[in-house]
Amino acid sequence: GLVYEVIWVRLTGLVFGNTSHAISTVLGAFMAGLALGSWKLGQKADTVANPLRMYGLLEVGIGISAALVPLVFRALDRFYWTLSPWISSIPAAGVFVRFGASFIILLAPTFLMGGTLPVLTRFFTERLDEVERKVGVLYALNTFGAAAGSLLAALVLIPGIGNIRTTLIIASINVAI
């Protein structure tokens, strides 16, 4: 997930023309999506017969929706330019439109990401006394993987092959999982 976050900050930086708006938008969407996904999909995880299947579907959904993000951002560029003459006289309207559109686009994959840990927790724990130990291990593995992935993306993949190819590689990994 953090690999996507690094890429999305770069993409939204192109949308806004500055990094502070980009970082704020991506972090806001990322945290909102994770929270909503964890809440709603965590509830759903308790009712499904096969949590591992649900996890697989979430990973496929993450891969597909995240792979579409750069394409949707590119398409929105034309939308912003079309809308610009009509909203240019309204203070901060352009920033608000770019924020709202970017936030909504990023909400889909982050919502799905938010559901992965609760679903895996449901799969790996059968009794309440197992939750503390097993969730701690899952969370630690998830955090180490996120840190390694974001370093790999920022230092190797993005500079070497660019945003789009990095997105497609990471999305392919999500689908393969």
Side-chain angles (χ1 to χ4, degrees):
L2 291 182
V3 175
Y4 292 126
E5 190 171 359
V6 170
I7 294 166
W8 295 341
V9 165
R10 293 172 58 100
L11 291 175
T12 53
L14 297 173
V15 169
F16 286 104
N18 83 46
T19 308
S20 62
H21 286 123
I23 291 171
S24 298
T25 301
V26 171
L27 286 178
F30 209 84
M31 291 300 166
L34 290 179
L36 289 170
S38 179
W39 174 42
K40 296 309 283 179
L41 296 172
Q43 291 174 342
K44 179 84 173 151
D46 287 335
T47 64
V48 297
N50 189 344
L52 188 59
R53 182 175 189 276
M54 183 179 177
Y55 175 76
L57 292 173
L58 287 174
E59 288 291 348
V60 169
I62 292 165
I64 292 169
S65 61
L68 292 174
V69 166
L71 301 173
V72 175
F73 268 88
R74 186 175 292 158
L76 275 177
D77 191 44
R78 281 180 248 128
F79 170 73
Y80 297 141
W81 284 107
T82 303
L83 199 59
S84 183
W86 295 331
I87 62 171
S88 62
S89 63
I90 304 168
V95 172
F96 181 75
V97 167
R98 288 190 299 269
F99 167 80
S102 299
F103 192 92
I104 290 167
I105 291 164
L106 299 178
L107 207 54
T110 58
F111 177 83
L112 298 173
M113 288 176 201
T116 57
L117 188 60
V119 171
L120 278 179
T121 298
R122 180 67 182 102
F123 175 72
F124 281 111
T125 58
E126 293 181 14
R127 297 185 326 269
L128 196 55
D129 63 329
E130 297 176 317
V131 171
E132 184 178 332
R133 181 177 46 86
K134 290 187 177 181
V135 172
V137 170
L138 284 173
Y139 191 78
L141 290 172
N142 187 43
T143 304
F144 285 129
S150 52
L151 286 172
L152 177 68
L155 301 176
V156 178
L157 294 175
I158 294 171
I161 61 173
N163 289 333
I164 304 291
R165 287 187 181 124
T166 301
T167 298
L168 294 176
I169 287 170
I170 301 305
S172 298
I173 291 170
N174 280 121
V175 171
I177 289 171

